[in-house]
């Protein structure tokens, strides 16, 4: 059975039907740029465009880059602050013609997909997935159970919001080399998270996971094993589709 997943990011909104048997995209994903400013109305229009691209009329799962309780948005670090307090599930359902819409944190969705189909499959103990992109998202699992909405990208690190120093966007904005970013920024962030949570495994997701060979071998001094996400930047879409399955 196929379901549909949409992944809302700070720079792009992408989606596709999801094959839940294999944990893969059933069709090539469709992506549009996140509108600026990323207001609820603007983003909803883009979500509608992505869903209508496939002629989809069934339940939809949607990820959001912030804390989500129920389907209400509580934080919005990398999109417009007018999202805070919005019942995103109800709003998006109305825009999509009344189909059921399930909304969850973007990194939580990616983590659920990786723990089911990818690098975290069958792993016990504490596993932390980090999505590196416009910001840093996190998903924490203890013996396979999700601790939702952890938002570890906003830990303070040397007086800064960690994601402003160690995200992929920070690397690009400051034109950092892979070595500088990996050894002086990402390694310090991972060491800080490891000190707090003592995970057995870090899974590195987001678009940069496709280039894991350029930076993961440069990171030393971390006790936990560090691996790239197997579903790479499609993990959020797959996780969103898995959430949509609950309404089928």
């Amino acid at each position: 059975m196929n379901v549909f997943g949409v992944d809302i990011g700070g720079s792009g909104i992408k989606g596709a039907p999801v094959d839940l048997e294999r944990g893969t995209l059933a069709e090539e994903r469709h992506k549009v740029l996140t509108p600026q400013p990323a207001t609820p109305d603007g983003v909803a229009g883009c979500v509608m465009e992505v869903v209508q691209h496939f002629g989809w009329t069934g339940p939809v799962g949607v990820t959001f880059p912030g804390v989500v309780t129920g389907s209400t948005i509580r934080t919005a670090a990398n999109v417009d602050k007018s999202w805070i307090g919005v019942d995103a599930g109800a709003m998006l359902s109305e825009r999509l013609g009344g189909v059921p819409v399930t909304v969850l944190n973007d990194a939580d969705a990616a983590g659920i997909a990786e723990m089911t189909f990818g690098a975290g499959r069958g792993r016990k103990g504490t596993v932390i997935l980090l999505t590196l992109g416009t910001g840093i998202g996190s998903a924490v699992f203890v013996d396979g159970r999700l601790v939702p909405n952890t938002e570890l990208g906003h830990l303070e690190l040397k007086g800064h919001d960690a994601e402003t120093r160690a995200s992929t966007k920070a690397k690009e904005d400051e034109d950092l080399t892979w070595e500088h970013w990996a050894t002086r920024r990402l390694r310090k962030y991972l060491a800080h998270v490891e000190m707090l949570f003592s995970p057995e495994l870090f899974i590195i997701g987001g678009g940069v996971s496709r280039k894991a060979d350029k930076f993961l071998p440069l990171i030393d001094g971390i006790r936990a094993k560090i691996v790239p996400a197997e579903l790479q930047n499609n993990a959020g879409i797959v996780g969103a589709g898995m959430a949509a399955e609950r309404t089928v």
Side-chain angles (χ1 to χ4, degrees), residues 56-82:
W56 186 266
T57 57
V60 176
V62 179
T63 78
F64 185 84
V67 171
V68 183
T69 55
S71 64
T72 299
I73 306 305
R74 301 301 182 192
T75 67
N78 293 305
V79 291
D80 197 80
K81 296 295 185 288
S82 58

Side-chain angles (χ1 to χ4, degrees), residues 3-5 20 59-62 100-102 104 239-248:
V3 290
F4 199 93
L20 290 179
V60 176
V62 179
V101 175
T102 304
L104 71 164
M242 293 172 68
E245 183 191 21
R246 303 176 202 150
T247 64
V248 177

